[in-house]
Amino acid sequence: MATVKVTDASFSQDVLNSSEPVVVDFWAEWCGPCRMIGPALEEISNEMAGKVKIVKLNVDENPQVSSQFGIRSIPALMMFKDGKVVAQKIGAAPKGDLAKWIQASA
């Protein structure tokens, strides 16, 4: 399953009310490191389909959710389970590290 785009409007439905763990990638078009980890997150999303959902939230287009969770630097990844943040990771990392973090947190 490819990564899904979420917005301020759909965040509650897509993330907080999700039955499976959700990784939210807070990113922006102009962010180089965000674009670097994008393909890795797509691959992990496909590999872990059914176990965890990976979604992307553009911080420029969705300031409400970004400020609600205190996003100050991107890329920022947050793992949500049952509507609560259970883990977070700031900055870019290789695919292997991202996959390990997601598996450990999910």
Side-chain angles (χ1 to χ4, degrees), residues 14-106:
D14 292 340
V15 178
L16 302 180
N17 296 329
S18 175
S19 56
E20 60 188 341
V22 182
V23 174
V24 179
D25 173 20
F26 292 89
W27 74 290
E29 288 287 342
W30 49 263
C31 167
C34 299
R35 289 200 313 269
M36 273 174 35
I37 66 169
L41 290 173
E42 286 288 336
E43 288 174 25
I44 294 167
S45 178
N46 289 326
E47 291 162 11
M48 298 183 74
K51 293 188 199 103
V52 69
K53 186 162 72 169
I54 299 179
V55 301
K56 297 175 81 68
L57 183 115
N58 185 314
V59 296
D60 290 337
E61 296 169 2
N62 302 284
Q64 192 180 340
V65 170
S66 304
S67 68
Q68 181 183 343
F69 290 98
I71 301 302
R72 292 199 179 10
S73 79
I74 53 173
L77 300 173
M78 286 189 173
M79 169 76 72
F80 288 81
K81 263 188 187 161
D82 301 320
K84 295 179 184 59
V85 178
V86 294
Q88 50 190 55
K89 184 172 186 60
I90 306 292
K95 179 185 172 191
D97 292 355
L98 293 171
K100 275 190 205 128
W101 176 77
I102 291 169
Q103 285 163 341
S105 308

Side-chain angles (χ1 to χ4, degrees), residues 3-19:
T3 57
V4 179
K5 206 172 165 181
V6 294
T7 63
D8 282 348
S10 69
F11 189 82
S12 185
Q13 170 88 36
D14 292 340
V15 178
L16 302 180
N17 296 329
S18 175
S19 56

